[in-house]
Amino acid sequence: MSPMGFAVHRQARHLQNVIDDNSLYDDEWDMHSGELPPSSIVRPVPIWLCVFLVVSYIIAGAFMFSEWEEWSFLDSAYFCFITLTTIGFGDFVPAQGVKNDSEISIALCSLYLLFGIALLAMSFNLVQEEVISNVKSVARRLGILKEEEMDD
């Protein structure tokens, strides 16, 4: 988002940075044709990679919590998914049965959840940008969006 609250697409920001970069005004890039050198083409993150990272993080957390809390693997995976998606039913609570070092257990759980929620938010944002880009591409091919509406 821009400071004014308008959505600024990642590709649009990158393209403007490439155009503004004075080092590109050489033989690789013709300023008048508008074509960019191959090294400056933006490649979006594949959706499968985002899904793989999120699933891997949940599985790693499930192994971690099944060892720490002595929960079953499915209970640990359920806890990780419910907590990372911020649903949080409260039926599983970490460090509840731990008598010794409960502060360390809660601190490690908090770090896991902090990085996990950030990973989920980043993945959702990347997937959202890719889906919007694909939908706009299909809408342009079908004639629903006109050329002047491309940047909206």
Side-chain angles (χ1 to χ4, degrees):
M1 303 250 353
S2 72
M4 297 296 291
F6 300 109
V8 177
H9 300 293
R10 178 180 52 165
Q11 290 88 356
R13 283 195 308 262
H14 177 72
L15 182 60
Q16 189 61 42
N17 290 342
V18 168
I19 291 172
D20 291 343
D21 188 7
N22 291 335
S23 66
L24 293 176
Y25 295 134
D26 57 7
D27 295 334
E28 287 184 31
W29 186 62
D30 183 10
M31 192 169 77
H32 300 292
S33 71
E35 293 183 17
L36 296 173
S39 63
S40 66
I41 295 174
V42 176
R43 298 196 197 307
V45 177
I47 293 175
W48 66 265
L49 182 60
C50 294
V51 171
F52 175 75
L53 285 174
V54 169
V55 169
S56 298
Y57 196 79
I58 289 174
I59 290 173
F63 278 118
M64 185 176 65
F65 282 108
S66 66
E67 289 296 316
W68 284 352
E69 302 295 330
E70 298 175 359
W71 295 336
S72 70
F73 178 77
L74 287 178
D75 287 344
S76 300
Y78 166 78
F79 169 76
C80 291
F81 177 78
I82 291 299
T83 307
L84 289 175
T85 55
T86 66
I87 297 171
F89 291 129
D91 48 353
F92 287 97
V93 179
Q96 196 171 27
V98 178
K99 306 280 189 272
N100 308 355
D101 299 330
S102 62
E103 294 86 15
I104 294 172
S105 179
I106 290 174
L108 292 174
C109 177
S110 298
L111 284 175
Y112 171 79
L113 296 176
L114 178 72
F115 288 114
I117 290 172
L119 176 72
L120 238 60
M122 177 199 66
S123 296
F124 285 159
N125 188 23
L126 290 173
V127 169
Q128 176 188 7
E129 284 183 12
E130 184 65 23
V131 168
I132 288 172
S133 174
N134 290 341
V135 168
K136 282 185 178 182
S137 175
V138 169
R140 279 187 214 106
R141 282 190 217 143
L142 294 175
I144 297 171
L145 283 179
K146 297 178 183 160
E147 292 300 320
E148 59 268 4
E149 296 178 9
M150 280 178 34
D151 295 330
D152 293 342

